[in-house]
């Protein structure tokens, strides 16, 4: 099965944001994620890993992901053939 890890900065108080994103991912990928870990860190870290592959880094991207971006990035690793319905539609 698939493993997701969200590393977040506890000093920056990003637990709430991280837990909301975790809830969204667990709801969207119900039955496809076997483990989701929230891992507190320091120094402004916010990274999301899917099956040990970094799929989002706040440091690299310069921002937090939109939830639809995050779902698409997770899907691309754990279930590439899966449709996300309205979350797959691109913005005009």
């Amino acid at each position: 099965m698939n493993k997701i890890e969200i590393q977040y900065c506890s000093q920056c108080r990003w637990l709430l944001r991280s837990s909301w994103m975790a809830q969204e991912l667990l709801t969207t990928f119900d039955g496809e994620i076997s483990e989701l870990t929230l891992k507190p860190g320091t120094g402004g870290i916010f990274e999301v890993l899917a099956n040990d592959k970094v799929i989002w880094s706040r440091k690299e991207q310069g921002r937090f992901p939109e939830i639809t971006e995050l779902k698409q990035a997770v899907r691309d690793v754990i279930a590439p053939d899966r449709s996300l319905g309205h979350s797959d539609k691109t913005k005009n």
Side-chain angles (χ1 to χ4, degrees), residues 35-61:
E35 178 181 332
L36 193 147
T37 305
L38 294 177
K39 186 174 179 181
T42 58
I45 191 166
F46 185 86
E47 289 187 345
V48 181
L49 293 81
N51 295 334
D52 299 319
K53 177 184 175 195
V54 176
I55 59 168
W56 191 273
S57 169
R58 182 179 168 273
K59 185 176 181 179
E60 288 177 18
Q61 302 291 334

Side-chain angles (χ1 to χ4, degrees), residues 5-34:
E5 181 176 303
I6 300 176
Q7 300 175 1
Y8 67 94
C9 179
S10 58
Q11 294 171 319
C12 300
R13 302 197 175 277
W14 291 340
L15 173 60
L16 191 60
R17 179 190 305 261
S18 301
S19 60
W20 171 72
M21 289 184 176
Q23 177 184 325
E24 285 288 319
L25 292 174
L26 288 168
T27 301
T28 299
F29 298 101
D30 184 35
E32 293 173 288
I33 295 175
S34 59

Side-chain angles (χ1 to χ4, degrees), residues 29 70-80 82-84 88:
F29 298 101
L70 186 58
K71 288 178 182 181
Q72 289 168 353
V74 168
R75 183 270 320 269
D76 291 348
V77 172
I78 71 169
R82 188 179 191 276
S83 170
L84 293 176
D88 267 338

